[in-house]
Amino acid sequence: MQTTYFELLGEENIRILVDRFYDLVFEHEQIAHLFKSDKEEIKEKQRLFLTQFLGGPSLYSEKHGHPQLRARHMPHVITEDDAVAWLSCMAKAIGTLPIDEALKDSLFKRFVPTAMFMVNTDENAL
């Protein structure tokens, strides 16, 4: 049986990642506007989601139902530049974790396809 990112990181590192990530996101001029609700609520949902996304217990689904990531993000205009900005914040947050560099790289790569999947608007159409 393969070890999950959840097991490799642990709950505390996931909590740290979420806190640092959203500190960056809420200050990022390009994507801060996408996060309009309560910061603590957003962070808690993300913590539950990442726990599940990274191979831990299905906490998000138990509380909020199936993640339906694309559907839940459709009301927001998300361009490729937005996804890249989101990934930049995630890379910086991951970079601060007290974990092995190879794990940081591997973890970041786990987010790239998902971030790009959220893109729902062509920049040229704006």
Side-chain angles (χ1 to χ4, degrees):
M1 187 173 207
Q2 192 169 1
T3 305
T4 66
Y5 286 108
F6 177 78
E7 292 167 321
L8 293 169
L9 292 170
E11 289 182 51
E12 184 58 25
N13 276 330
I14 290 174
R15 187 174 305 282
I16 291 167
L17 177 62
V18 169
D19 285 342
R20 291 179 180 165
F21 172 72
Y22 279 105
D23 286 346
L24 295 166
V25 164
F26 273 81
E27 296 298 320
H28 198 289
E29 69 178 46
Q30 181 167 343
I31 58 175
H33 72 279
L34 295 170
F35 301 89
K36 297 175 184 165
S37 61
D38 177 63
K39 184 177 183 180
E40 292 307 312
E41 179 182 337
I42 290 171
K43 285 169 45 176
E44 179 61 9
K45 282 185 176 179
Q46 181 73 290
R47 186 188 65 77
L48 296 175
F49 173 75
L50 287 183
T51 295
Q52 182 171 326
F53 179 73
L54 298 174
S58 300
L59 301 179
Y60 185 93
S61 292
E62 290 170 12
K63 187 166 185 176
H64 301 287
H66 189 283
Q68 300 177 340
L69 286 181
R70 186 138 168 99
R72 290 183 196 265
H73 288 80
M74 281 309 261
H76 310 285
V77 171
I78 302 173
T79 65
E80 189 172 316
D81 282 348
D82 295 332
V84 169
W86 188 97
L87 286 166
S88 172
C89 291
M90 184 56 75
K92 287 177 186 172
I94 290 170
T96 69
L97 293 176
I99 59 175
D100 176 89
E101 290 300 317
L103 179 56
K104 289 178 184 180
D105 291 343
S106 179
L107 177 61
F108 176 75
K109 288 176 184 170
R110 177 80 169 88
F111 289 104
V112 174
T114 303
M116 291 306 174
F117 184 64
M118 296 301 109
V119 173
N120 59 25
T121 303
D122 183 349
E123 323 233 345
N124 297 322
L126 296 177

